């Protein structure tokens, strides 16, 4: 039987103001966490290895690329040793611009990590700062070039819309900048104010203003039209791909595969 595997790395250098995912900015437990994670992988392998083939792997977070090359290598090695991977496994790792290094990318290459998902969100420095992002658009460009130079071409980037202070022109510039690189996959998410986040507090205090519903829909339909004109096919609400490069792992959630 086929199976999808999700591995969570709950550490970040900084937590974005809109984020309600399980993540921590203190990395003092990162070594012990990876040790515990490898023990859990070994334990599950006794149940799964005989009957299941891992067809997709997604290492998410948090920011998985806060791991050192050594820790990431230990984690990937445990996955390879203790599970049966499909010959054409789709293996994705999330990364934030500015956290990718040559050493980490070389670690990807040593294992069948063949897909990278980069969080960009926007190209405007003021919008990135307001979101609590700690990278620049230039960091994203450098990360994309580093991946392409190492023959990793199955790349997704995340972007957001309906952000505080964001105009349609800002969104258009972000889309133009991303598609200039001819990457295979783009995810576009509308901002949702999640309870308990810094953005929730600011919103309740009236310190941030969001685009209204009409502007939100205008932005979404602009994204649909723009990406279609660039050869991207929309296959989910928030996901577009070129040349059939759909994210198999995401699809498995939609169709309720194990």
């Amino acid at each position: 039987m086929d199976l999808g595997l999700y591995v969570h790395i709950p550490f970040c250098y900084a937590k974005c103001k809109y984020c309600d995912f399980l993540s921590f900015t203190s990395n003092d437990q990162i070594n012990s966490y990876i040790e515990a994670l490898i023990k859990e992988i070994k334990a599950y392998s006794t149940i799964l290895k005989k009957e299941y083939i891992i067809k997709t792997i997604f290492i998410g977070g948090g920011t998985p690329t806060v791991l050192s090359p050594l820790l990431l290598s230990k984690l990937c090695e445990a996955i390879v040793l203790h599970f049966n991977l499909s010959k054409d496994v789709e293996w994705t790792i999330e990364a934030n611009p500015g956290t990718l290094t040559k050493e980490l990318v070389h670690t990807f290459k040593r294992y069948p990590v063949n897909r990278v998902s980069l969080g960009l969100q926007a190209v405007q420095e003021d919008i990135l700062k307001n979101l609590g992002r700690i990278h620049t658009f230039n960091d994203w460009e450098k990360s994309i070039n580093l991946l392409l130079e190492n023959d990793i071409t199955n790349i997704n980037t995340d972007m957001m819309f309906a952000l505080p202070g964001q105009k349609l022109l800002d969104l258009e510039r972000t889309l133009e900048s991303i598609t200039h690189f001819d990457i295979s996959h783009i995810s576009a998410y509308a901002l949702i104010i999640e309870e308990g986040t810094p953005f929730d507090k600011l919103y309740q205090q009236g310190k941030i203003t969001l685009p209204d519903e009409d502007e939100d829909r205008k932005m979404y339909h602009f994204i649909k039209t723009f990406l279609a004109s660039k050869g991207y096919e929309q296959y989910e609400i928030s996901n577009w791909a070129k040349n059939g490069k759909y994210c198999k792992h995401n699809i498995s959630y939609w169709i309720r595969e194990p």
Side-chain angles (χ1 to χ4, degrees):
M1 185 182 295
D2 289 336
L3 193 73
L5 179 69
Y6 176 78
V7 182
H8 192 67
I9 306 298
F11 302 102
C12 288
Y13 290 125
K15 197 169 178 74
C16 300
K17 295 177 184 178
Y18 55 84
C19 179
D20 73 332
F21 289 108
L22 181 66
S23 62
F24 309 94
T25 56
S26 174
N27 294 345
D28 56 347
Q29 296 188 67
I30 199 164
N31 288 286
S32 55
Y33 178 82
I34 295 300
E35 289 177 10
L37 190 54
I38 290 172
K39 287 180 181 178
E40 187 173 26
I41 287 168
K42 291 178 180 178
Y44 270 103
S45 74
T46 62
I47 304 169
L48 302 176
K49 193 168 185 179
K50 290 182 181 179
E51 297 184 24
Y52 289 91
I53 302 295
I54 306 299
K55 74 168 188 177
T56 65
I57 302 169
F58 198 104
I59 302 179
T63 308
T65 44
V66 303
L67 296 179
S68 68
L70 177 61
L71 285 179
L72 180 61
S73 183
K74 285 183 176 180
L75 174 60
C76 292
E77 183 178 31
I79 291 171
V80 169
L81 285 175
H82 296 288
F83 292 116
N84 291 322
L85 306 190
S86 169
K87 290 180 181 179
D88 60 347
V89 63
E90 176 198 82
W91 190 337
T92 304
I93 188 167
E94 287 186 333
N96 272 340
T99 65
L100 275 183
T101 63
K102 289 181 181 179
E103 291 76 19
L104 279 170
V105 174
H106 292 164
T107 302
F108 299 168
K109 297 284 287 183
R110 285 202 302 273
Y111 300 92
V113 179
N114 48 32
R115 186 175 183 273
V116 176
S117 181
L118 275 173
L120 171 62
Q121 317 315 349
V123 302
Q124 293 79 15
E125 305 301 325
D126 58 332
I127 292 178
L128 290 173
K129 186 176 180 180
N130 289 338
L131 291 174
R133 305 293 290 180
I134 60 173
H135 64 81
T136 64
F137 176 60
N138 185 246
D139 291 328
W140 180 85
E141 289 181 301
K142 289 179 179 177
S143 296
I144 291 288
N145 286 325
L146 178 60
L147 292 170
L148 295 176
E149 288 165 5
N150 286 275
D151 299 321
I152 297 177
T153 59
N154 195 0
I155 301 170
N156 170 65
T157 204
D158 289 345
M159 55 170 287
M160 298 177 73
F161 65 97
L163 300 171
Q166 187 184 43
K167 306 298 183 187
L168 191 61
L169 192 62
D170 297 322
L171 179 63
E172 183 176 4
R173 186 181 160 217
T174 293
L175 286 163
E176 287 175 344
S177 300
I178 292 173
T179 54
H180 172 74
F181 282 83
D182 194 32
I183 61 175
S184 58
H185 195 286
I186 295 173
S187 298
Y189 302 105
L191 174 66
I192 298 173
I193 301 291
E194 300 288 359
E195 186 177 351
T197 61
F199 261 10
D200 180 41
K201 184 177 180 180
L202 291 170
Y203 185 68
Q204 297 300 330
Q205 294 172 346
K207 293 182 178 179
I208 58 173
T209 303
L210 302 178
D212 61 25
E213 187 174 297
D214 288 341
E215 188 70 10
D216 177 300
R217 291 301 83 193
K218 187 184 295 183
M219 288 183 171
Y220 179 67
H221 288 292
F222 179 82
I223 292 168
K224 287 166 64 77
T225 302
F226 185 96
L227 291 180
S229 74
K230 298 292 184 179
Y232 289 88
E233 181 181 352
Q234 185 177 16
Y235 70 99
E236 289 177 5
I237 295 171
S238 301
N239 287 301
W240 286 259
K242 271 189 174 182
N243 303 319
K245 292 291 187 179
Y246 302 167
C247 178
K248 297 176 184 177
H249 189 83
N250 282 353
I251 289 172
S252 70
Y253 288 120
W254 283 95
I255 60 177
R256 300 173 63 86
E257 290 182 341

